[in-house]
């Protein structure tokens, strides 16, 4: 009978918050109702949350309900009625008066001839007055021998006197009264006002100085706020599993209704987040200890009658009271149907009513719940792994259709702002699941957790998304100093990969000699000492190419293009050390003048090659090499770096290309935006980096962003303002690296990006993995990319092609007409995989050593001669970094080669949702696959368990347990956790 049909359950539980602010007590004519005259009254002091459920159970048994509201109880809280209760109908509602006599007089006026059968607390706020008023009326009571048993400091003192484990604590109004405690107690410790409301002022302090500072803050704030007896309570921080033990008592006889354990786990950077509340077997060792301990706590506190809700931590020293709530378990009583199913018919609600109104039935309630339980179930507390403004909540509707669904509570609706769940305030809801089959419960829980992980609970309003790849060197030039549009100031946390250049911290293994390659100098076919190579804008991997050229005896001239940032000139990979060029020169006003400058710098040496050292130098390198009559790609295609032009070229060549449209007027792109499948990418045609790039999910959004871009381009003085609209490519993303000589293309490595959804982002880069050249995808990708190179007339030099493997086949994302970026950190990995060469060595061979280039295979060996990959680090937390112990551990891994990061002490770290919020990159290589996989797994463990960083202690608060929090944003009681 306790497993109601799904339809009845859903019909009985409204899932929207109901406003009872205009509720009126019905007027009933007693003269016309003889039955009414015989009924007894029950006074409920501040009935809200579960108190309303208890009240309705009493009403069902024929009792009249009197709501007595205490002085200062908010009107808003009076409307806090559980959805399951519907509209509360009280026989009368009265307000507490200044004295007991006056309150009793008001009560007598409304009850008339109806006897008052009981007076009990309807919630935490009503406990003290209920104890006093029930004693005054001569009813069943806990009395006032203990004047304020809700006082958490007093609770600990009482149980300590009874010989029970209690929280170590000290309190006082002057620092000298607590100084000894703060100097001897292990940290962290909890500081809070003695008379705190909710979690106001409650802080976890990690050292003596922090505790002293917060003590002074609390004392100052209390006196300012007019506290009658300002003092601060300092307590030990309890560690262990947290349990809840619910009892109902009658004349000192305590009956256990349920024992729960909180499911707490680290998430989103928080040390623990509540994931749920599970019933534990009553015959388990921990339940036996907890029940005995809690009953002794009740005795020591003089709690002889009514419901209680004890929160206990199972520490290394045994159970220790967190707090005893002298009222029913909160949470709107949504757990009631679950408890009835588990026990076979009763819960704390029925037990409370029996205890006050039906002693004979109370006597029949067992002292403990049955073992085993008669059903399976638990409360699931929902966790958000994303943030944003909610557009809709489709996941909530799906949850309501689960086979074990009973009840759902959430304050999240359309237009709500959702944050990452790091505490109870940022929780997004609660679900009660119940079923006769445990397997069904587990399956439904796994499904809910999966929905959370993939951010399937909500649809968020869309926002700009960064679509740049990990090796987009253009981003380096644009983002090194640019402020954010919204803030007008530099970002707190920004992309930390190679394009950030001089801002990075780099670590390279010094004990992996097998990865360094032979120390012998490769012989050249000419007298290289008389020859010079021009490198245009040598930075990042360009420095590696330059250094390899120097090792072979050639001189290198660094040619810096106009407006190349001075700080980017210092972007030299750690492996290169200090770069010493034969000469450094700058681009002149014209190409002819630049040629003259080059010849002057070369002096008597012969210029034998001109190579782009980075993305910024590609155009000048093509033009200059053509004019110098050395190996070149020429200028027959004037700007082959233009991404729109690249797509047009390969389309003409018969290759799959991105569908796109561009224009300076909306009418020019409207047909494309109307007919193309969404989402679509909109960006400025001449975009630098990823500025203005947005993934638009509807025609309205695309139209709006088109006008935003046009306006911004014209304001910024673009010569030919226009917007490029492109299809959003779906599929796996690959990188194919080639080196070409006179139109002969050789693949030197194929990579695939490891992308996964996390933190609300559709994809986040987790790594870059080598792909076997004999794999099915490599056999498709290599010919396609070589076709792209031919279409773009790239005959010489290194290239770095980014390709999406779509359902229709490979499609170019962009072709970078220079070496793979990332400081060439992948070089030792490639050399280990191939047995001795990488794109760096092959680039030099292609320009300067024909015979060596001829000996290079047309594609990497299969299988590879070692195992390795790049691991891109992901942050699952946020804060100001105090130390980076995880980086130190990474450097001790057996497969470690290289670590690159922009995070150090003092850096601000946020949840990783794109490359700007990434935290670093690691190269791992080893001959043993198991060793590599073990090291990768350890890195991922450190990320998820937030072991990479130690953060500076942020001002934080310890909040009530889930049973005291309601997901409409209100707290059930004004008392803190500690």
């Amino acid at each position: 009978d306790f497993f109601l049909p799904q339809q009845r359950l859903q019909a009985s539980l409204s899932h929207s918050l109901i406003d009872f602010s205009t509720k009126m007590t019905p007027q009933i004519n007693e003269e016309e109702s003889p039955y009414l005259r015989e009924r007894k009254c029950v006074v409920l002091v501040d009935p809200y949350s579960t108190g309303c459920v208890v009240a309705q159970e009493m009403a069902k048994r024929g009792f009249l309900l009197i709501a007595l509201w205490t002085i200062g109880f908010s009107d808003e809280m009076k409307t806090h009625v559980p959805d399951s209760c519907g509209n509360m109908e009280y026989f009368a509602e009265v307000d507490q008066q200044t004295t007991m006599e006056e309150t009793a007089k008001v009560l007598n006026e409304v009850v008339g001839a109806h006897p008052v059968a009981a007076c009990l607390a309807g919630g935490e706020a009503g406990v003290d007055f209920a104890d006093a008023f029930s004693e005054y009326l001569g009813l069943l009571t806990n009395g006032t021998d203990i004047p304020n048993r809700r006082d958490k400091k007093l609770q600990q003192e009482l149980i300590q006197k009874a010989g029970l484990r209690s929280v170590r604590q000290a309190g006082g109004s002057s620092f000298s009264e607590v100084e000894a405690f703060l100097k001897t107690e292990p940290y962290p410790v909890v500081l809070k006002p003695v008379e705190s409301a909710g979690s106001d002022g409650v802080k976890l302090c990690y050292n003596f100085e922090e505790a002293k500072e917060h003590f002074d803050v609390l004392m100052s704030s209390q006196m300012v706020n007019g506290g009658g007896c300002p003092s601060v309570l300092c307590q030990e921080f309890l560690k262990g599993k947290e349990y809840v033990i619910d009892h109902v008592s009658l004349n000192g006889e305590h009956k256990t209704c349920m024992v729960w354990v909180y499911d707490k786990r680290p998430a989103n950077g928080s040390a623990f987040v509540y994931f749920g509340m599970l019933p534990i077997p009553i015959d388990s060792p921990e339940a036996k200890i907890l029940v005995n301990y809690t009953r002794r706590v009740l005795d020591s506190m003089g709690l002889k009658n009514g419901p209680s809700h004890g929160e206990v931590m199972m520490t290394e020293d045994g159970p220790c009271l967190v707090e005893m709530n002298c009222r029913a378990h909160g949470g709107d009583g949504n757990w009631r149907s679950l408890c009835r199913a588990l026990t076979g018919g009763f819960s704390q609600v029925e037990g409370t009513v029996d205890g006050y109104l039906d002693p004979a039935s109370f006597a029949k309630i067992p002292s403990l719940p049955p073992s085993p339980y008669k059903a399976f179930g638990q409360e699931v507390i929902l966790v958000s792994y994303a943030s944003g403004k909610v557009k809709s909540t489709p996941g909530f509707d799906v949850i309501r259709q689960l086979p074990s669904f009973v009840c759902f509570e959430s304050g999240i609706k359309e237009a709500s702002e959702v944050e990452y769940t790091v505490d109870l305030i940022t929780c997004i809801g609660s679900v009660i699941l119940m079923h006769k089959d445990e397997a069904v419960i587990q399956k439904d829980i796994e499904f809910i957790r999966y929905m959370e992980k993939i951010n399937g609970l909500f649809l968020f309003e869309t926002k700009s998304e960064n679509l740049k790849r990990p090796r987009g060197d253009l981003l380096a030039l644009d983002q090194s100093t640019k402020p954010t549009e919204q803030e007008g100031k530099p970002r707190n946390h920004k992309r930390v990969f190679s394009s950030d250049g001089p801002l990075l911290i780099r670590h390279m293994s010094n004990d992996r000699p097998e990865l360094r390659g032979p120390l012998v100098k490769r012989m050249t076919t000419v007298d290289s000492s008389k020859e010079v190579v021009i490198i245009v804008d040598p930075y990042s991997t360009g420095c590696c190419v330059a250094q390899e050229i120097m090792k072979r005896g050639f001189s290198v001239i660094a040619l810096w293009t106009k407006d190349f940032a001075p700080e980017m000139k210092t972007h030299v990979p750690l492996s290169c050390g200090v770069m010493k060029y034969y000469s450094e020169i700058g681009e002149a006003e014209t190409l002819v003048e630049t040629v003259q400058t080059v010849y002057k710098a070369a002096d008597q040496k012969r210029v034998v090659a001109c190579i782009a050292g980075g993305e910024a130098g590609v155009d000048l390198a093509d033009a200059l090499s053509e004019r110098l009559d050395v190996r070149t790609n020429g200028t027959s295609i004037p700007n082959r770096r233009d991404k729109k032009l690249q797509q047009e070229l390969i389309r003409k060549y018969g290759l799959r290309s991105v569908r796109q449209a561009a224009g300076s007027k909306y009418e020019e792109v409207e047909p494309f935006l109307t007919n193309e499948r969404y989402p679509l990418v909109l960006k400025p045609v001449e975009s630098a980096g990823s500025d203005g790039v947005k993934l638009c999910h509807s025609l309205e959004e695309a139209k709006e962003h088109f006008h935003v871009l046009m306006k911004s381009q014209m304001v910024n003085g673009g010569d030919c303002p226009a917007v490029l609209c492109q299809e959003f490519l779906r599929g796996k993303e690959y990188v194919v690296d080639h080196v070409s000589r006179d139109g002969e293309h050789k693949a030197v490595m194929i990579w695939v990006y490891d992308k996964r959804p996390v933190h609300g982002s559709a994809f986040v880069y987790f790594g870059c993995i080598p792909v076997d050249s004999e794999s099915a995808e490599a056999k498709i990708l290599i010919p396609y990319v070589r076709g792209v190179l031919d279409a773009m007339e790239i005959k010489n030099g290194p290239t770095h092609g980014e390709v999406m493997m779509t359902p229709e086949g490979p499609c170019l994302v962009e072709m970078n007409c220079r070496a793979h970026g990332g400081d060439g950190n992948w070089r030792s990995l490639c050399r280990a995989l191939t047995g001795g060469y990488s794109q760096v060595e092959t680039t030099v061979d292609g320009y300067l050593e024909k015979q060596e280039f001829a000996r290079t295979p047309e594609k990497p060996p299969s299988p590879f001669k070692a195992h390795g990959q790049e691991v891109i680090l992901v942050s699952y937390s946020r804060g100001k970094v105090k130390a980076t112990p995880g980086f130190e551990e990474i450097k001790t891994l057996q497969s470690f080669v290289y670590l690159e990061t922009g995070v150090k002490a003092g850096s601000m770290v946020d949840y990783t949702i794109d490359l700007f919020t990434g935290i670093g990159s690691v190269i791992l290589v080893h001959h043993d696959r198991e060793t590599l996989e073990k090291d990768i797994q350890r890195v991922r463990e450190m990320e998820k368990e937030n072991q990479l960083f130690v953060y500076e202690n942020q001002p934080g608060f310890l909040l009530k347990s889930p049973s005291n929090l309601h997901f409409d944003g209100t707290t059930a009681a004004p008392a803190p956790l500690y």
Side-chain angles (χ1 to χ4, degrees):
D1 179 55
F2 305 109
F3 293 96
L4 301 177
Q6 188 72 13
Q7 292 78 9
R8 281 182 58 198
L9 276 174
Q10 293 189 30
S12 67
L13 296 173
S14 168
H15 303 290
S16 61
L17 297 175
I18 301 171
D19 183 6
F20 294 105
S21 59
T22 58
K23 168 178 59 62
M24 298 293 293
T25 301
Q27 299 301 312
I28 304 173
N29 191 332
E30 293 189 40
E31 297 300 326
E32 298 176 1
S33 177
Y35 167 70
L36 184 61
R37 292 197 300 270
E38 299 175 1
R39 293 166 68 183
K40 296 180 180 180
C41 292
V42 175
V43 178
L44 292 114
V45 184
D46 295 339
Y48 64 98
S49 184
T50 307
C52 295
V53 181
V54 173
Q56 277 202 342
E57 178 64 24
M58 290 177 166
K60 288 177 184 177
R61 300 191 189 188
F63 291 85
L64 300 176
L65 305 179
I66 308 292
L68 194 162
W69 306 111
T70 56
I71 296 170
F73 193 75
S74 71
D75 290 336
E76 180 184 1
M77 289 303 295
K78 293 177 184 179
T79 68
H80 186 160
V81 178
D83 296 342
S84 61
C85 291
N87 190 12
M88 292 298 296
E89 295 185 356
Y90 296 110
F91 178 69
E93 298 183 45
V94 298
D95 294 327
Q96 177 190 357
Q97 305 300 305
T98 54
T99 66
M100 290 290 178
E101 293 80 3
E102 292 172 349
T103 305
K105 181 180 178 181
V106 172
L107 177 63
N108 288 332
E109 289 174 356
V110 299
V111 301
H114 300 287
V116 177
C119 174
L120 64 152
E124 183 73 18
V127 169
D128 292 340
F129 188 75
D131 283 347
F133 198 48
S134 58
E135 184 179 51
Y136 180 82
L137 295 175
L139 302 171
L140 195 69
T141 185
N142 287 314
T144 56
D145 291 342
I146 297 173
N148 183 13
R149 54 174 55 86
R150 288 174 55 222
D151 184 298
K152 305 308 180 267
K153 180 174 181 289
L154 178 61
Q155 289 183 359
Q156 298 295 335
E157 293 171 352
L158 289 170
I159 66 173
Q160 186 179 27
K161 288 180 182 178
L164 298 172
R165 166 73 162 97
S166 61
V167 173
R168 297 186 297 274
Q169 61 183 8
S173 57
S174 65
F175 186 72
S176 59
E177 294 176 275
V178 300
E179 186 173 8
F181 175 83
L182 293 176
K183 284 186 175 179
T184 57
E185 182 65 23
Y187 282 83
V189 296
V190 180
L191 268 71
K192 61 185 176 182
V194 169
E195 296 295 330
S196 63
S199 60
D200 283 348
V202 181
K203 185 178 180 182
L204 198 59
C205 298
Y206 289 82
N207 55 56
F208 180 79
E209 292 72 23
E210 188 178 3
K212 185 176 189 303
E213 179 184 0
H214 193 58
F215 182 96
D216 295 333
V217 168
L218 289 177
M219 286 301 302
S220 175
S221 62
Q222 281 185 298
M223 288 185 285
V224 168
N225 295 333
C229 181
S231 61
V232 174
L233 181 60
C234 308
Q235 294 182 324
E236 70 169 304
F237 177 61
L238 296 175
K239 300 178 178 70
K241 273 194 175 183
E242 188 178 1
Y243 294 84
V244 169
I245 305 93
D246 294 334
H247 277 89
V248 175
S249 305
L250 176 60
N251 297 323
E253 181 184 2
H254 312 299
K255 297 197 174 182
T256 307
C257 303
M258 192 57 60
V259 181
W260 313 85
V261 63
Y262 285 128
D263 175 10
K264 295 190 293 185
R265 317 175 199 173
N268 293 327
S270 178
F272 62 82
V273 168
Y274 288 94
F275 276 68
M277 186 174 71
L278 294 74
I280 67 169
I282 200 64
D283 58 354
S284 62
E286 58 266 40
K288 292 177 180 179
I289 295 171
L290 290 163
V291 169
N292 177 62
Y293 174 85
T294 304
R295 290 180 177 182
R296 293 176 65 192
V297 169
L298 294 174
D299 290 337
S300 68
M301 290 178 57
L303 278 172
K304 300 178 180 180
N305 295 292
S308 58
H309 170 70
E311 297 170 4
V312 178
M313 195 76 75
M314 187 66 84
T315 71
E316 292 180 351
D317 311 317
C320 182
L321 181 70
V322 175
E323 65 178 72
M324 180 59 69
N325 300 280
C326 313
R327 40 79 184 172
H329 188 132
D332 280 3
N334 293 334
W335 39 264
R336 183 187 182 188
S337 55
L338 171 58
C339 287
R340 287 174 58 85
L342 295 173
T343 62
F346 71 90
S347 73
Q348 191 181 45
V349 172
E350 291 80 19
T352 297
V353 178
D354 289 343
Y356 278 102
L357 303 175
D358 189 354
S361 294
F362 181 85
K364 296 177 182 178
I365 297 174
S367 177
L368 298 169
S371 179
Y373 290 122
K374 299 180 183 298
F376 301 94
Q378 72 168 78
E379 177 186 20
V380 176
I381 298 175
L382 301 179
V383 174
S384 171
Y385 294 92
S387 64
K389 190 173 183 179
V390 174
K391 189 175 182 181
S392 62
T393 57
F396 289 176
D397 296 326
V398 174
I399 287 174
R400 292 186 182 106
Q401 301 303 317
L402 295 176
S404 64
F405 172 77
V406 173
C407 179
F408 177 75
E409 183 182 33
S410 176
I412 304 300
K413 55 187 177 181
E414 184 178 341
S416 295
E417 288 288 347
V418 169
E419 257 294 349
Y420 297 100
T421 299
V422 294
D423 53 26
L424 284 166
I425 295 298
T426 48
C427 283
I428 52 177
S430 170
V431 181
I432 300 293
L433 301 179
M434 178 180 68
H435 206 275
K436 291 180 179 178
D437 186 351
E438 186 177 16
V440 172
I441 292 287
Q442 293 304 317
K443 185 176 179 181
D444 288 354
I445 292 171
E446 289 173 5
F447 180 77
I448 290 173
R449 297 306 180 201
Y450 174 73
M451 291 278 287
E452 292 172 333
K453 285 286 188 181
I454 67 171
N455 301 299
L457 296 177
F458 310 119
L459 284 180
F460 292 109
E461 292 187 5
T462 58
K463 53 189 175 182
S464 295
E465 298 181 46
N466 192 297
L467 303 178
K468 255 330 216 188
R469 275 76 189 167
R471 297 302 173 201
D473 281 18
L474 261 180
L475 204 56
L477 308 179
D478 184 58
Q479 297 295 339
S480 59
T481 57
K482 180 171 286 189
T484 61
E485 290 183 17
Q486 294 83 358
E487 300 174 10
K489 58 184 180 181
R491 293 178 173 86
N492 282 331
H493 183 76
K494 59 177 210 165
R495 187 171 183 270
V496 295
F497 296 106
S498 63
S499 57
D500 276 330
L503 301 178
L504 289 177
I505 302 166
R506 302 178 176 94
H507 303 276
M508 182 168 282
S509 174
N510 293 318
D511 56 358
R512 302 291 301 280
E514 75 276 16
L515 300 177
R516 296 175 192 163
L519 297 179
V520 297
K521 174 182 171 182
R522 293 181 73 171
M523 297 304 296
T524 63
T525 56
V526 294
D527 186 359
S528 58
S529 65
K530 298 179 180 180
E531 297 174 331
V532 66
V533 175
I534 311 300
I535 306 288
V536 184
D537 292 340
Y539 65 99
S540 184
T541 307
C543 294
C544 299
V545 173
Q547 193 172 67
E548 179 67 23
I549 293 171
M550 293 179 194
K551 286 180 181 178
R552 301 192 190 186
F554 295 89
S555 299
V556 174
I557 294 176
L559 170 57
W560 304 109
T561 56
K562 298 174 185 175
D563 302 322
F564 192 76
E567 61 267 22
M568 289 304 298
K569 295 178 183 179
T570 67
H571 183 167
V572 178
L574 180 66
S575 60
C576 292
V578 179
M579 297 298 296
K580 295 182 179 180
Y581 298 108
Y582 180 72
S583 178
E584 295 187 51
I585 58 178
E587 179 187 4
E589 290 299 317
T590 66
L591 182 61
V592 172
E593 292 173 332
T594 303
V595 171
Q596 294 173 350
T597 303
V598 167
Y599 282 138
K600 182 178 179 181
D603 196 18
Q604 300 297 316
K605 294 182 181 287
R606 184 167 70 97
V607 177
V608 292
C610 177
I611 308 170
E615 185 72 19
V618 170
D619 292 340
L620 180 58
D622 283 347
L624 186 60
S625 58
E626 184 179 51
R627 182 60 65 95
L628 293 172
D629 198 24
V630 293
R631 186 162 279 103
T632 184
N633 289 315
T635 57
S636 58
I637 297 176
N639 182 15
R640 55 174 52 89
R641 290 172 54 218
D642 184 297
K643 306 308 181 269
K644 179 174 179 289
L645 178 61
Q646 289 183 358
Q647 299 295 335
E648 293 171 350
L649 289 170
I650 66 173
R651 185 181 300 111
K652 291 178 182 178
Y653 204 76
L655 297 170
R656 165 76 162 97
S657 62
V658 174
R659 297 186 296 273
Q660 62 183 8
S664 57
K665 296 180 180 179
Y666 180 72
E667 292 74 19
E668 295 174 297
V669 299
E670 187 175 14
F672 177 82
L673 296 177
T674 303
N675 298 316
E676 185 65 26
R677 177 186 175 191
Y678 283 84
L680 295 174
V681 179
L682 269 70
K683 58 186 176 183
V685 167
E686 296 295 330
S687 62
S690 59
D691 274 1
V693 180
K694 185 177 182 182
L695 196 61
C696 297
H697 294 262
S698 67
L699 177 64
E700 295 72 22
E701 190 177 2
K703 183 176 181 181
E704 179 184 359
H705 193 59
F706 180 94
H707 293 305
V708 167
L709 289 177
M710 285 303 303
K711 182 179 179 181
S712 64
Q713 282 186 299
M714 288 186 283
V715 169
N716 295 332
D719 293 333
C720 182
V723 174
L724 180 60
C725 310
Q726 294 181 322
E727 70 170 304
F728 177 62
L729 296 175
R730 295 171 175 83
K732 272 193 174 183
E733 188 177 1
Y734 294 84
V735 169
V736 185
D737 294 334
H738 275 87
V739 175
S740 305
R741 177 185 170 95
D742 298 334
E744 181 184 3
H745 312 299
K746 295 194 174 183
V748 288
M749 191 55 62
I750 305 100
W751 314 84
V752 62
Y753 284 126
D754 175 9
K755 295 189 295 184
R756 315 175 197 175
V758 69
H759 297 143
S761 179
F763 60 83
V764 167
Y765 288 94
F766 276 68
C768 192
I769 304 170
V771 176
D772 192 301
S773 63
E774 291 298 321
S775 64
E777 56 266 44
K779 290 179 179 179
I780 297 172
L781 289 164
I782 291 174
Y784 174 84
V785 172
R786 289 177 178 173
V788 170
L789 295 175
D790 290 338
M792 292 178 58
E793 298 184 17
I794 297 176
K795 299 178 179 179
N796 294 290
T799 52
H800 171 70
E802 296 171 1
V803 180
M804 195 74 76
M805 186 67 83
T806 73
E808 299 87 26
C811 182
L812 181 70
V813 175
E814 63 182 68
M815 179 58 71
N816 300 280
C817 312
R818 39 80 184 172
H820 188 131
D823 279 5
N825 298 331
W826 38 264
R827 187 181 180 187
S828 55
L829 168 58
C830 288
R831 289 173 60 87
L833 296 174
T834 62
Y837 68 90
S838 73
Q839 192 181 43
V840 171
E841 293 81 14
T842 309
T843 294
V844 178
D845 291 342
Y847 278 103
L848 302 174
E849 300 191 35
K850 180 179 180 179
Q851 293 180 7
E852 289 293 340
F853 183 82
R855 280 195 284 266
T856 302
E858 67 164 0
K859 58 185 179 181
S862 177
F864 289 125
K865 301 181 182 298
H867 306 280
Q869 72 169 78
E870 176 186 23
V871 176
I872 299 176
L873 301 177
V874 174
S875 169
Y876 290 84
S877 59
R878 60 160 56 133
K880 189 174 183 180
V881 174
K882 185 178 182 180
T884 57
F887 290 168
E888 299 306 311
E889 181 175 344
I890 286 174
K891 290 187 285 183
T892 67
L893 297 176
Q894 292 186 60
S895 63
F896 172 74
V897 174
Y898 188 85
L899 166 66
E900 179 179 80
T901 180
V903 178
K904 57 184 178 182
S907 298
M908 291 299 299
V909 167
D910 207 338
Y911 301 107
T912 299
I913 57 172
D914 54 22
L915 286 167
F916 285 105
T917 47
I919 51 176
S921 171
V922 180
I923 301 292
L924 302 177
V925 184
H926 206 274
H927 62 83
D928 179 43
R929 181 185 292 276
E930 289 186 4
T931 298
L932 174 69
E933 291 176 350
K934 181 181 177 182
D935 287 353
I936 294 171
Q937 182 180 357
R938 178 57 190 144
V939 172
R940 296 307 181 202
E941 286 175 357
M942 285 192 284
E943 290 173 335
K944 288 197 171 183
E945 295 174 9
N946 301 301
Q947 295 175 352
L948 293 177
F949 309 122
V950 174
Y951 292 109
E952 292 186 8
N953 304 318
Q954 303 295 316
F957 299 96
L958 302 176
L959 303 174
K960 289 292 289 182
S961 60
S963 60
N964 298 319
L965 188 87
H966 304 282
F967 294 97
D968 57 0
T970 62
T971 51
L977 179 60
Y978 289 93

